[in-house]
Each structure stands twice: as structure tokens, then as C-alpha cells.
Amino acid sequence: MSDMKLHLEGRTVREVMIFGNGKDSELILVADDDTAPVYRIAVRDPDVSVEIEGKVRTEVFNDGHDPYLGIRYLPQEPLVFEVCRIEDPGGDEYFLESLEEVNARGEIEPSWMIRAASIRLSPKGGKP
Amino acid sequence: MRPLIVKIAEEHFLETVIIQDASGFLSVVAPYLLPSLPAKDELEVTPLSRVFWRDLVEFRADGVISLRRRDNRDRSVPLIHLEIEHACSPWLGERLQPCREAMERYHECEILTIVLVLHGDRAGLVIEERPFRWMRFGLRGCDAREYLAREEPFAWAIAACMDPGDWSPLRHKQECFQHLETAIGLSRQRKHYLSRWFDIAIPLPREEQDELEMGLAEDHALLSRYW
């Protein structure tokens, strides 16, 4: 898979969430910085890896919607997005533009669905 | 941070807006996709089972709609295979192919696959040729006002996902609700579903949602029936 780096790499993590089911899943990436956009990424048939070094609280939830399950990672110490990459579904110009477009809610919603993402969270300032 | 509400509502949208209004769906979409289709009142439109089995694997389409001529003439109209997607992707056709093949084997008739893309696609109709011939209809970027002006409730439902032009999200939602208020012949249940869908499709900040609800509260009839 060729992949694309999101602008979150190096930023402090507030939350990482994956929610939904195989057909309709969503990956949400939030930096601990109100000026940074929130990424809401539509995922189908997810192949998402989240590698974490550091303390996090992991919550599994349903949010009241029967067919869906969510997993939320909440850092309990300062962590950064060391790696934050998503599958490039083909270099489509419209898709690339959407990765730079922040909507009125301060969110970036890539125009196309993806399947794969790779995220690695690590302690801010490097390993203790 | 909450999950994107529009995504988790796709099933709701499908069941309540399309499956219960397959005829409305066709009258809105068919002129673009199926110009040769017989007139709406010449057709009997029936939603069919969405689940298929092939080699012990279950496939679940979002919608399957059977069309038959009311006069029982030949079945020259295809079966409609409908999928609702949040966004599109280059591999979507390949992803849909197994389900479509299972459906073809089961029904043994011509099948037309239509993908309604609620967000994240170019506006309007795109015909794809691979790995089979299918069509997708991107709602984002289409003119919400044009569809709100139509008479089919299905058109109002998809207008909630469309481009409202210079309307604010609040105004866009108000306009959608306005159609419910004036709709004639729409059951209370379908009004409820549509109002629920508008709430989901056009999320508002808390204060604007309050403003909307206050406006609706002033119209006590609407409030007491659907809120």
C-alpha cells in the first residue's frame, strides 16, 4: 500500500477513535490543540493498526447504536502521533484536495473511503 | 468527540427513507439513471429481501427493489441493487461485486447497481464500467434547493445531504423541516423518520439546535407531532 502522511505527525494526541462496523467505519484522530483540524476518515473493511507506547485509557463503547462498536484511546500522559498515515486510494486530485479542506466544524473529511491506516503513538519528548 | 452521526445513520436512512419510499427513490433517481424506464404509474415497485447466500457466505445489500409492469407485460425492467455509501473509493466496484454476483445467481435477471454516495464524492451521476457496469450518484455538491422543490419526500431526504448554497446549516435544516410541515398525505410515522433523518444529516451546534427547536416550538403542531 502506498500511504500518505497526515499533518498530525508530531502533534500531541487528545484522542484516537475507531467506530462502526466493517462496512461503515470511521477513524477519528484528534490532536490536543484546538487550532488543529480533527480528521474524520471514512473506512470500509478496516485494516487499521494502532501501536502505542505509553499510558492510555482504552474505552470500548457502543454509543447506543446496535450494529456498531467503538474503541477510543485516551492518553493518560502526553503522547504524540509519531506515525499517522492512511492508505492512498489512488492519488486522485479531488481526494488530495479534500485532505487540505477544513470544513465549518474544523474537521477534515477525506472525500474517499480508505481501508488501511497506521498509527503509532509515543511519549512526547521521546522515550523516558 | 462523537462519531460522525451521518455515518451511523445510513441504515436508518435506508430503511425508513428508501425502503419505505422505493417508488419515490425511483421517481427522483430514475430519470437520470434509467431514462428508458416505463412511467412511474406503469410500474409496481417492491422492496425485496436484502440478504443472499453464496457458498455459505452471507451477503447483505442495502436495498433490492423489484420493478414489474403493472400490465404484466414482459419483465424488461431490471432489478435495482441499491447501496448507500458515506464516500466512494476506487475499489468500491470490486467490493460490491461478490454481493452483486450472489444476487444475479439468485434472481437470474438483469441487475442495475446504483450507489448513492451521501458525502465525499463529486456531485451527480458517474457511470462506472469496472468490474461491471454500475452507477453512482454523489449527493454532495448537488443543489439542495432544487431537490427541496420537488414533491417526493425522498428528494427532501437527499437534499439534506446536498449543497445548500448560501444558506447556513440552520437555514438548510429549517427549510427541510418546513416541507414536513406542509406535506400532504405523508404518514405520521414517515414524518417522524424524515425529521429524525434531518436531525442526523444536518448536525448543528447546540445553540443553533436550540434556536431551531424554539422556532419549531412556536409551531406547536409540528413540535407535538414529530419532536
mmCIF file of all heavy atoms in Angstrom, chain B residues 5-22:
data_model
loop_
_atom_site.group_PDB
_atom_site.id
_atom_site.type_symbol
_atom_site.label_atom_id
_atom_site.label_comp_id
_atom_site.label_asym_id
_atom_site.label_seq_id
_atom_site.Cartn_x
_atom_site.Cartn_y
_atom_site.Cartn_z
ATOM 1 N N ILE B 5 -22.342 11.449 12.990
ATOM 2 C CA ILE B 5 -23.702 10.932 13.115
ATOM 3 C C ILE B 5 -24.261 10.496 11.768
ATOM 4 O O ILE B 5 -25.003 9.540 11.686
ATOM 5 C CB ILE B 5 -24.614 12.003 13.744
ATOM 6 C CG1 ILE B 5 -24.011 12.447 15.063
ATOM 7 C CG2 ILE B 5 -26.002 11.475 13.965
ATOM 8 C CD1 ILE B 5 -24.723 13.613 15.683
ATOM 9 N N VAL B 6 -23.874 11.181 10.718
ATOM 10 C CA VAL B 6 -24.429 10.815 9.415
ATOM 11 C C VAL B 6 -24.068 9.376 9.064
ATOM 12 O O VAL B 6 -24.867 8.628 8.536
ATOM 13 C CB VAL B 6 -23.924 11.780 8.327
ATOM 14 C CG1 VAL B 6 -24.347 11.294 6.951
ATOM 15 C CG2 VAL B 6 -24.488 13.169 8.572
ATOM 16 N N LYS B 7 -22.857 8.973 9.382
ATOM 17 C CA LYS B 7 -22.458 7.618 9.036
ATOM 18 C C LYS B 7 -23.292 6.578 9.771
ATOM 19 O O LYS B 7 -23.747 5.613 9.192
ATOM 20 C CB LYS B 7 -20.992 7.400 9.395
ATOM 21 C CG LYS B 7 -20.050 7.859 8.326
ATOM 22 C CD LYS B 7 -18.654 7.381 8.568
ATOM 23 C CE LYS B 7 -18.559 5.881 8.565
ATOM 24 N NZ LYS B 7 -19.031 5.259 7.336
ATOM 25 N N ILE B 8 -23.478 6.786 11.048
ATOM 26 C CA ILE B 8 -24.174 5.748 11.798
ATOM 27 C C ILE B 8 -25.655 5.740 11.469
ATOM 28 O O ILE B 8 -26.372 4.861 11.873
ATOM 29 C CB ILE B 8 -23.966 5.903 13.313
ATOM 30 C CG1 ILE B 8 -24.481 7.235 13.788
ATOM 31 C CG2 ILE B 8 -22.531 5.713 13.674
ATOM 32 C CD1 ILE B 8 -24.226 7.481 15.245
ATOM 33 N N ALA B 9 -26.065 6.688 10.679
ATOM 34 C CA ALA B 9 -27.483 6.755 10.348
ATOM 35 C C ALA B 9 -27.796 6.183 8.984
ATOM 36 O O ALA B 9 -28.928 6.206 8.552
ATOM 37 C CB ALA B 9 -27.937 8.204 10.387
ATOM 38 N N GLU B 10 -26.799 5.668 8.287
ATOM 39 C CA GLU B 10 -27.069 5.203 6.942
ATOM 40 C C GLU B 10 -28.140 4.125 6.919
ATOM 41 O O GLU B 10 -29.014 4.100 6.068
ATOM 42 C CB GLU B 10 -25.787 4.694 6.292
ATOM 43 C CG GLU B 10 -24.914 5.836 5.835
ATOM 44 C CD GLU B 10 -23.524 5.393 5.474
ATOM 45 O OE1 GLU B 10 -23.312 4.198 5.282
ATOM 46 O OE2 GLU B 10 -22.650 6.263 5.411
ATOM 47 N N GLU B 11 -28.060 3.227 7.881
ATOM 48 C CA GLU B 11 -29.038 2.147 7.936
ATOM 49 C C GLU B 11 -30.431 2.720 8.162
ATOM 50 O O GLU B 11 -31.410 2.298 7.567
ATOM 51 C CB GLU B 11 -28.655 1.184 9.059
ATOM 52 C CG GLU B 11 -29.407 -0.117 9.034
ATOM 53 C CD GLU B 11 -28.947 -1.053 7.911
ATOM 54 O OE1 GLU B 11 -27.958 -0.770 7.225
ATOM 55 O OE2 GLU B 11 -29.616 -2.060 7.717
ATOM 56 N N HIS B 12 -30.482 3.692 9.029
ATOM 57 C CA HIS B 12 -31.753 4.350 9.320
ATOM 58 C C HIS B 12 -32.291 5.008 8.049
ATOM 59 O O HIS B 12 -33.456 4.869 7.690
ATOM 60 C CB HIS B 12 -31.514 5.401 10.405
ATOM 61 C CG HIS B 12 -32.713 6.197 10.763
ATOM 62 N ND1 HIS B 12 -33.593 5.802 11.722
ATOM 63 C CD2 HIS B 12 -33.177 7.361 10.270
ATOM 64 C CE1 HIS B 12 -34.555 6.698 11.807
ATOM 65 N NE2 HIS B 12 -34.328 7.662 10.940
ATOM 66 N N PHE B 13 -31.429 5.699 7.365
ATOM 67 C CA PHE B 13 -31.804 6.381 6.128
ATOM 68 C C PHE B 13 -32.373 5.371 5.135
ATOM 69 O O PHE B 13 -33.411 5.575 4.529
ATOM 70 C CB PHE B 13 -30.556 7.050 5.551
ATOM 71 C CG PHE B 13 -30.746 7.671 4.194
ATOM 72 C CD1 PHE B 13 -31.428 8.860 4.055
ATOM 73 C CD2 PHE B 13 -30.226 7.078 3.069
ATOM 74 C CE1 PHE B 13 -31.593 9.447 2.811
ATOM 75 C CE2 PHE B 13 -30.382 7.651 1.829
ATOM 76 C CZ PHE B 13 -31.067 8.838 1.704
ATOM 77 N N LEU B 14 -31.669 4.270 5.040
ATOM 78 C CA LEU B 14 -32.060 3.260 4.077
ATOM 79 C C LEU B 14 -33.429 2.681 4.389
ATOM 80 O O LEU B 14 -34.314 2.626 3.537
ATOM 81 C CB LEU B 14 -31.007 2.155 4.125
ATOM 82 C CG LEU B 14 -31.202 1.073 3.119
ATOM 83 C CD1 LEU B 14 -30.762 1.590 1.777
ATOM 84 C CD2 LEU B 14 -30.405 -0.119 3.521
ATOM 85 N N GLU B 15 -33.588 2.254 5.617
ATOM 86 C CA GLU B 15 -34.826 1.568 5.988
ATOM 87 C C GLU B 15 -36.034 2.480 5.885
ATOM 88 O O GLU B 15 -37.083 2.093 5.399
ATOM 89 C CB GLU B 15 -34.723 1.069 7.436
ATOM 90 C CG GLU B 15 -33.830 -0.119 7.613
ATOM 91 C CD GLU B 15 -34.452 -1.388 7.056
ATOM 92 O OE1 GLU B 15 -35.666 -1.415 6.755
ATOM 93 O OE2 GLU B 15 -33.714 -2.347 6.903
ATOM 94 N N THR B 16 -35.842 3.670 6.378
ATOM 95 C CA THR B 16 -37.017 4.495 6.576
ATOM 96 C C THR B 16 -37.309 5.439 5.428
ATOM 97 O O THR B 16 -38.443 5.832 5.227
ATOM 98 C CB THR B 16 -36.860 5.335 7.853
ATOM 99 O OG1 THR B 16 -35.715 6.153 7.697
ATOM 100 C CG2 THR B 16 -36.689 4.446 9.056
ATOM 101 N N VAL B 17 -36.272 5.771 4.716
ATOM 102 C CA VAL B 17 -36.490 6.748 3.654
ATOM 103 C C VAL B 17 -36.555 6.082 2.291
ATOM 104 O O VAL B 17 -37.395 6.414 1.468
ATOM 105 C CB VAL B 17 -35.380 7.829 3.676
ATOM 106 C CG1 VAL B 17 -35.608 8.834 2.575
ATOM 107 C CG2 VAL B 17 -35.354 8.514 5.011
ATOM 108 N N ILE B 18 -35.699 5.115 2.061
ATOM 109 C CA ILE B 18 -35.697 4.494 0.734
ATOM 110 C C ILE B 18 -36.589 3.263 0.683
ATOM 111 O O ILE B 18 -37.448 3.147 -0.189
ATOM 112 C CB ILE B 18 -34.270 4.131 0.317
ATOM 113 C CG1 ILE B 18 -33.486 5.413 0.100
ATOM 114 C CG2 ILE B 18 -34.300 3.309 -0.970
ATOM 115 C CD1 ILE B 18 -32.125 5.228 -0.448
ATOM 116 N N ILE B 19 -36.397 2.352 1.605
ATOM 117 C CA ILE B 19 -37.163 1.110 1.508
ATOM 118 C C ILE B 19 -38.655 1.396 1.646
ATOM 119 O O ILE B 19 -39.490 0.797 0.982
ATOM 120 C CB ILE B 19 -36.682 0.094 2.566
ATOM 121 C CG1 ILE B 19 -35.197 -0.235 2.331
ATOM 122 C CG2 ILE B 19 -37.522 -1.169 2.523
ATOM 123 C CD1 ILE B 19 -34.841 -0.741 0.956
ATOM 124 N N GLN B 20 -38.975 2.349 2.492
ATOM 125 C CA GLN B 20 -40.388 2.686 2.611
ATOM 126 C C GLN B 20 -40.868 3.617 1.502
ATOM 127 O O GLN B 20 -42.035 3.921 1.410
ATOM 128 C CB GLN B 20 -40.653 3.334 3.972
ATOM 129 C CG GLN B 20 -40.475 2.362 5.103
ATOM 130 C CD GLN B 20 -41.081 2.904 6.384
ATOM 131 O OE1 GLN B 20 -41.908 3.803 6.362
ATOM 132 N NE2 GLN B 20 -40.670 2.360 7.490
ATOM 133 N N ASP B 21 -39.933 4.102 0.734
ATOM 134 C CA ASP B 21 -40.319 5.020 -0.335
ATOM 135 C C ASP B 21 -39.541 4.678 -1.596
ATOM 136 O O ASP B 21 -38.940 5.540 -2.234
ATOM 137 C CB ASP B 21 -40.051 6.466 0.103
ATOM 138 C CG ASP B 21 -40.620 7.476 -0.882
ATOM 139 O OD1 ASP B 21 -41.469 7.079 -1.703
ATOM 140 O OD2 ASP B 21 -40.207 8.640 -0.848
ATOM 141 N N ALA B 22 -39.512 3.377 -1.922
ATOM 142 C CA ALA B 22 -38.759 2.933 -3.100
ATOM 143 C C ALA B 22 -39.280 3.617 -4.353
ATOM 144 O O ALA B 22 -38.530 3.964 -5.261
ATOM 145 C CB ALA B 22 -38.856 1.420 -3.228
#
